[in-house]
Amino acid sequence: MRKRIHGWGGRCRAEVRSKVYTYHTAVKRTEQRKGVISCAGKPDIQVATPPEFKGHEGIWSPEDVFVASANICVMTKFLAVAERAGRAFTSYESVAEGRLELADGKFQFTAIMLTPTITLKDDR
């Protein structure tokens, strides 16, 4: 689908093209409260219920993956913006903390705090 946008007096013109992307994943229970997530052409990831919900230590939980996905989204957006702006940097690292709280009788994420550390290239 294509849309044309005309600005005031015909001075602003932009063409917007609708894009749709589809992503496929699968999950399979392996034992107890454990499973494996998979996606064609990518390594499988062992997942489990987190320890605080009678799960397992040392295995990625849905909560871990959710917080990590927010952290990944910010990093990839930064990389795209920096590339388009021609900004040089030597490193990007970020830690994320998600807060899962019991509110109104349901667990929900109430905050995700990201702390990126970016080292810019010295152009001197």
Side-chain angles (χ1 to χ4, degrees):
M1 180 170 89
R2 297 170 95 173
K3 294 182 182 178
R4 288 198 183 274
I5 300 170
H6 301 282
W8 173 77
R11 293 183 186 177
C12 176
R13 288 183 169 220
E15 190 172 296
V16 178
R17 294 176 188 216
S18 181
K19 294 182 182 179
V20 176
Y21 301 98
T22 305
Y23 299 88
H24 299 273
T25 64
V27 65
K28 181 179 179 180
R29 179 185 176 268
T30 55
E31 62 179 315
Q32 300 168 332
R33 293 179 177 223
K34 297 179 187 176
V36 173
I37 56 175
S38 60
C39 181
K42 299 175 184 174
D44 291 351
I45 300 172
Q46 187 178 24
V47 293
T49 306
E52 51 273 18
F53 298 113
K54 301 179 184 176
H56 305 274
E57 289 279 344
I59 300 173
W60 283 86
S61 72
E63 295 80 4
D64 295 326
V65 174
F66 180 74
V67 173
S69 69
N71 206 4
I72 294 164
C73 283
V74 170
M75 179 193 73
T76 56
K77 183 64 174 182
F78 169 80
L79 296 175
V81 169
E83 181 180 314
R84 274 189 236 123
R87 304 303 303 209
F89 62 96
T90 57
S91 70
Y92 180 101
E93 295 181 31
S94 180
V95 295
E97 176 183 301
R99 182 180 302 139
L100 184 68
E101 296 184 76
L102 186 61
D104 299 324
K106 300 175 188 173
F107 278 102
Q108 53 189 304
F109 277 93
T110 57
I112 297 177
M113 287 78 57
L114 303 175
T115 308
T117 303
I118 302 160
T119 304
L120 299 176
K121 187 174 180 181
D122 188 4
D123 290 334
R124 287 188 263 166

